[in-house]
Amino acid sequence: MVLTAPVVPGTTPQPSQKPAVLWLILWCLLVLGVQPWSSRAAAPQGTTGSTNSLMKGVLLGAIFLIVLAATKPGFRTRVAPTTQLYVVYVLFATATVFLLADPLGPLLRLARLLIGLVLFLMLWRPLIQTPERLIRAHLWAHLLLAGTIVLSVAYAPAQAWRPLSSFGTGFRLQGVIIPMLPPRVGEVGALLLGLAIIALLARKIAVIPAGAMIGLGMVLVALSRTRTAAAAIAFGLFLALLLTRKTWFGRIAALAVPGLIGIAFLLIPTLHTWLLRGQGTQQISSLSGRTTSWQYVLDEQVSLQTAIIGHGLGNKRVLLRRGEGDIDVMAIDNSWLGLYWETGLLAVVIVGIAMIVAWVSVLRAPTPYVKACGALLLGYVSVASLNESGLSDLSSMTLHLLVAAAVCDSDRLRQRSRTALQRRPDDPLPLLLPNQPSKR
């Protein structure tokens, strides 16, 4: 009989004692907390939104405390390179904040972002170490958000439809139970659609629930009339298929599908009307007026210091007049120009490198399903960041970027560990107790 010495505590991985549903609920709450709740969803004239910011801060703090209580001391973790670069961005932005006359607001935003990054470290073992688990949690979180949007139509049908006003004709679906403007509704529907399609193709989910999620996602994108979300998810799906198809036929199909969709939008009258939204040539060419603020940001003469460190975190608007929204100000609506305006060229470089590193992680992911989901999320962020802001703080767009990088980095580490186990020689003889003969 062979007797072995007792295992030294802490030298072998221990399974998580917390039920998986706890981490799923916490992730859904985190996704909810990073959504840009908008007071203008319920009141088109707009408010300061300070109440929503306070609620989001309280929710994020509660999530952090619960995760902290559920995490054992001395837990093992992993910091993805993209997350490290965002920590560098937080440190740089914090240093520039103290040059402002009123640094309290920007410091609170940076504190939210830092808490979000710390949550990624604490959730490594229960969620991120198994990348499929985090992807599934991300899918369920967007399904729950989509459910609140559907309930908003039944709860307050008069407030759930937002008139396009000067940006076209007709109405757009928005959230009321959780205040979300139509672009956010489109984002939720697009991510639900894309993740469900990939899960169906990878046989990670049954046909009936996948079909229901795909249908719900398409309806939300269509009723929100959000062209940015539609274009971004189409690009993300195209990249996901292109990077995971192993045959030339699959790659050609991945190239042909976007072309056929584009032709359909141009030739089918209903899709063509949806794409134009009743806008004229000038509105289409100016991207609903966005290029006006972009040109202002690019043309402004600034000092070298302002070009490097920006105007200050929180300055996402320029003093222009726009047909809809706040008077005498206009949102920049471009993550990269917004980064430059708020925190300067150095911040653009840091976040740009983080985006490149995330793409490298996606390309190196060995599992096709994980690589496809990472490509979908990063493809969406790459397109949406050109037409929306969000990469400068803890937003849904930043979360998609961090999730894509984390799951692909975890997948590569898992494959490396498996390869090392396969190459390892036979285990040595077990440690014997004194005077115990071996039967080998």
mmCIF file of all heavy atoms in Angstrom, residues 236-253:
data_model
loop_
_atom_site.group_PDB
_atom_site.id
_atom_site.type_symbol
_atom_site.label_atom_id
_atom_site.label_comp_id
_atom_site.label_asym_id
_atom_site.label_seq_id
_atom_site.Cartn_x
_atom_site.Cartn_y
_atom_site.Cartn_z
ATOM 1 N N GLY A 236 -18.553 43.097 -36.779
ATOM 2 C CA GLY A 236 -18.069 42.137 -35.803
ATOM 3 C C GLY A 236 -18.344 40.699 -36.209
ATOM 4 O O GLY A 236 -17.484 39.819 -36.073
ATOM 5 N N LEU A 237 -19.552 40.427 -36.730
ATOM 6 C CA LEU A 237 -19.875 39.081 -37.194
ATOM 7 C C LEU A 237 -19.010 38.682 -38.383
ATOM 8 O O LEU A 237 -18.576 37.524 -38.498
ATOM 9 C CB LEU A 237 -21.355 39.006 -37.561
ATOM 10 C CG LEU A 237 -22.337 38.889 -36.392
ATOM 11 C CD1 LEU A 237 -23.767 39.052 -36.879
ATOM 12 C CD2 LEU A 237 -22.163 37.555 -35.675
ATOM 13 N N PHE A 238 -18.767 39.629 -39.275
ATOM 14 C CA PHE A 238 -17.910 39.356 -40.427
ATOM 15 C C PHE A 238 -16.507 38.950 -39.977
ATOM 16 O O PHE A 238 -15.945 37.957 -40.451
ATOM 17 C CB PHE A 238 -17.868 40.592 -41.329
ATOM 18 C CG PHE A 238 -16.705 40.615 -42.275
ATOM 19 C CD1 PHE A 238 -16.623 39.712 -43.314
ATOM 20 C CD2 PHE A 238 -15.682 41.534 -42.111
ATOM 21 C CE1 PHE A 238 -15.539 39.719 -44.183
ATOM 22 C CE2 PHE A 238 -14.609 41.556 -42.968
ATOM 23 C CZ PHE A 238 -14.539 40.649 -44.011
ATOM 24 N N LEU A 239 -15.932 39.684 -39.023
ATOM 25 C CA LEU A 239 -14.603 39.339 -38.528
ATOM 26 C C LEU A 239 -14.612 37.999 -37.787
ATOM 27 O O LEU A 239 -13.673 37.202 -37.928
ATOM 28 C CB LEU A 239 -14.092 40.439 -37.596
ATOM 29 C CG LEU A 239 -13.675 41.752 -38.248
ATOM 30 C CD1 LEU A 239 -13.208 42.731 -37.188
ATOM 31 C CD2 LEU A 239 -12.570 41.531 -39.271
ATOM 32 N N ALA A 240 -15.667 37.750 -37.011
ATOM 33 C CA ALA A 240 -15.748 36.492 -36.274
ATOM 34 C C ALA A 240 -15.766 35.303 -37.221
ATOM 35 O O ALA A 240 -15.086 34.291 -36.989
ATOM 36 C CB ALA A 240 -16.996 36.492 -35.387
ATOM 37 N N LEU A 241 -16.526 35.403 -38.303
ATOM 38 C CA LEU A 241 -16.584 34.314 -39.275
ATOM 39 C C LEU A 241 -15.281 34.199 -40.056
ATOM 40 O O LEU A 241 -14.793 33.101 -40.316
ATOM 41 C CB LEU A 241 -17.764 34.532 -40.229
ATOM 42 C CG LEU A 241 -19.155 34.461 -39.599
ATOM 43 C CD1 LEU A 241 -20.221 34.816 -40.628
ATOM 44 C CD2 LEU A 241 -19.419 33.075 -39.030
ATOM 45 N N LEU A 242 -14.710 35.335 -40.423
ATOM 46 C CA LEU A 242 -13.500 35.318 -41.229
ATOM 47 C C LEU A 242 -12.321 34.715 -40.463
ATOM 48 O O LEU A 242 -11.510 33.978 -41.036
ATOM 49 C CB LEU A 242 -13.165 36.742 -41.677
ATOM 50 C CG LEU A 242 -11.985 36.890 -42.649
ATOM 51 C CD1 LEU A 242 -12.306 36.213 -43.973
ATOM 52 C CD2 LEU A 242 -11.659 38.369 -42.868
ATOM 53 N N LEU A 243 -12.228 35.009 -39.167
ATOM 54 C CA LEU A 243 -11.088 34.542 -38.382
ATOM 55 C C LEU A 243 -11.213 33.096 -37.933
ATOM 56 O O LEU A 243 -10.211 32.484 -37.549
ATOM 57 C CB LEU A 243 -10.899 35.432 -37.149
ATOM 58 C CG LEU A 243 -10.483 36.877 -37.419
ATOM 59 C CD1 LEU A 243 -10.420 37.658 -36.118
ATOM 60 C CD2 LEU A 243 -9.130 36.932 -38.123
ATOM 61 N N THR A 244 -12.423 32.541 -37.967
ATOM 62 C CA THR A 244 -12.618 31.178 -37.454
ATOM 63 C C THR A 244 -12.929 30.167 -38.538
ATOM 64 O O THR A 244 -12.978 28.966 -38.252
ATOM 65 C CB THR A 244 -13.752 31.159 -36.414
ATOM 66 O OG1 THR A 244 -14.944 31.725 -36.993
ATOM 67 C CG2 THR A 244 -13.369 31.953 -35.192
ATOM 68 N N ARG A 245 -13.152 30.606 -39.783
ATOM 69 C CA ARG A 245 -13.397 29.652 -40.865
ATOM 70 C C ARG A 245 -12.072 29.046 -41.315
ATOM 71 O O ARG A 245 -11.116 29.771 -41.591
ATOM 72 C CB ARG A 245 -14.082 30.318 -42.045
ATOM 73 C CG ARG A 245 -15.463 30.907 -41.767
ATOM 74 C CD ARG A 245 -16.446 29.848 -41.316
ATOM 75 N NE ARG A 245 -16.496 29.748 -39.854
ATOM 76 C CZ ARG A 245 -17.203 28.833 -39.196
ATOM 77 N NH1 ARG A 245 -17.891 27.937 -39.870
ATOM 78 N NH2 ARG A 245 -17.195 28.809 -37.892
ATOM 79 N N LYS A 246 -12.028 27.728 -41.426
ATOM 80 C CA LYS A 246 -10.792 27.050 -41.797
ATOM 81 C C LYS A 246 -10.712 26.723 -43.285
ATOM 82 O O LYS A 246 -9.650 26.364 -43.782
ATOM 83 C CB LYS A 246 -10.648 25.760 -40.980
ATOM 84 C CG LYS A 246 -10.528 25.997 -39.481
ATOM 85 C CD LYS A 246 -10.342 24.696 -38.727
ATOM 86 C CE LYS A 246 -10.198 24.947 -37.231
ATOM 87 N NZ LYS A 246 -10.017 23.685 -36.464
ATOM 88 N N THR A 247 -11.829 26.803 -43.993
ATOM 89 C CA THR A 247 -11.835 26.482 -45.420
ATOM 90 C C THR A 247 -11.990 27.761 -46.232
ATOM 91 O O THR A 247 -12.510 28.778 -45.755
ATOM 92 C CB THR A 247 -12.993 25.528 -45.752
ATOM 93 O OG1 THR A 247 -14.245 26.179 -45.473
ATOM 94 C CG2 THR A 247 -12.884 24.261 -44.904
ATOM 95 N N TRP A 248 -11.551 27.682 -47.495
ATOM 96 C CA TRP A 248 -11.701 28.835 -48.372
ATOM 97 C C TRP A 248 -13.169 29.143 -48.642
ATOM 98 O O TRP A 248 -13.549 30.308 -48.791
ATOM 99 C CB TRP A 248 -10.965 28.588 -49.685
ATOM 100 C CG TRP A 248 -9.490 28.777 -49.566
ATOM 101 C CD1 TRP A 248 -8.517 27.827 -49.546
ATOM 102 C CD2 TRP A 248 -8.819 30.032 -49.428
ATOM 103 N NE1 TRP A 248 -7.273 28.391 -49.398
ATOM 104 C CE2 TRP A 248 -7.432 29.756 -49.334
ATOM 105 C CE3 TRP A 248 -9.226 31.355 -49.369
ATOM 106 C CZ2 TRP A 248 -6.464 30.744 -49.192
ATOM 107 C CZ3 TRP A 248 -8.276 32.343 -49.219
ATOM 108 C CH2 TRP A 248 -6.919 32.047 -49.133
ATOM 109 N N PHE A 249 -13.998 28.087 -48.700
ATOM 110 C CA PHE A 249 -15.424 28.323 -48.922
ATOM 111 C C PHE A 249 -16.018 29.139 -47.775
ATOM 112 O O PHE A 249 -16.800 30.068 -47.993
ATOM 113 C CB PHE A 249 -16.158 26.983 -49.048
ATOM 114 C CG PHE A 249 -17.649 27.134 -49.162
ATOM 115 C CD1 PHE A 249 -18.245 27.495 -50.369
ATOM 116 C CD2 PHE A 249 -18.468 26.922 -48.058
ATOM 117 C CE1 PHE A 249 -19.620 27.633 -50.461
ATOM 118 C CE2 PHE A 249 -19.838 27.062 -48.149
ATOM 119 C CZ PHE A 249 -20.413 27.418 -49.361
ATOM 120 N N GLY A 250 -15.649 28.796 -46.541
ATOM 121 C CA GLY A 250 -16.155 29.543 -45.398
ATOM 122 C C GLY A 250 -15.687 30.981 -45.404
ATOM 123 O O GLY A 250 -16.446 31.896 -45.057
ATOM 124 N N ARG A 251 -14.437 31.222 -45.810
ATOM 125 C CA ARG A 251 -13.934 32.591 -45.854
ATOM 126 C C ARG A 251 -14.600 33.403 -46.957
ATOM 127 O O ARG A 251 -14.892 34.582 -46.779
ATOM 128 C CB ARG A 251 -12.423 32.562 -46.043
ATOM 129 C CG ARG A 251 -11.678 31.947 -44.853
ATOM 130 C CD ARG A 251 -10.210 31.761 -45.143
ATOM 131 N NE ARG A 251 -9.538 31.125 -44.013
ATOM 132 C CZ ARG A 251 -8.273 30.720 -44.022
ATOM 133 N NH1 ARG A 251 -7.538 30.895 -45.113
ATOM 134 N NH2 ARG A 251 -7.743 30.152 -42.968
ATOM 135 N N ILE A 252 -14.833 32.766 -48.099
ATOM 136 C CA ILE A 252 -15.532 33.470 -49.184
ATOM 137 C C ILE A 252 -16.965 33.787 -48.773
ATOM 138 O O ILE A 252 -17.488 34.874 -49.055
ATOM 139 C CB ILE A 252 -15.497 32.624 -50.465
ATOM 140 C CG1 ILE A 252 -14.050 32.529 -50.985
ATOM 141 C CG2 ILE A 252 -16.402 33.229 -51.539
ATOM 142 C CD1 ILE A 252 -13.889 31.597 -52.171
ATOM 143 N N ALA A 253 -17.599 32.844 -48.055
ATOM 144 C CA ALA A 253 -18.956 33.104 -47.566
ATOM 145 C C ALA A 253 -18.970 34.264 -46.588
ATOM 146 O O ALA A 253 -19.890 35.092 -46.589
ATOM 147 C CB ALA A 253 -19.526 31.844 -46.915
#
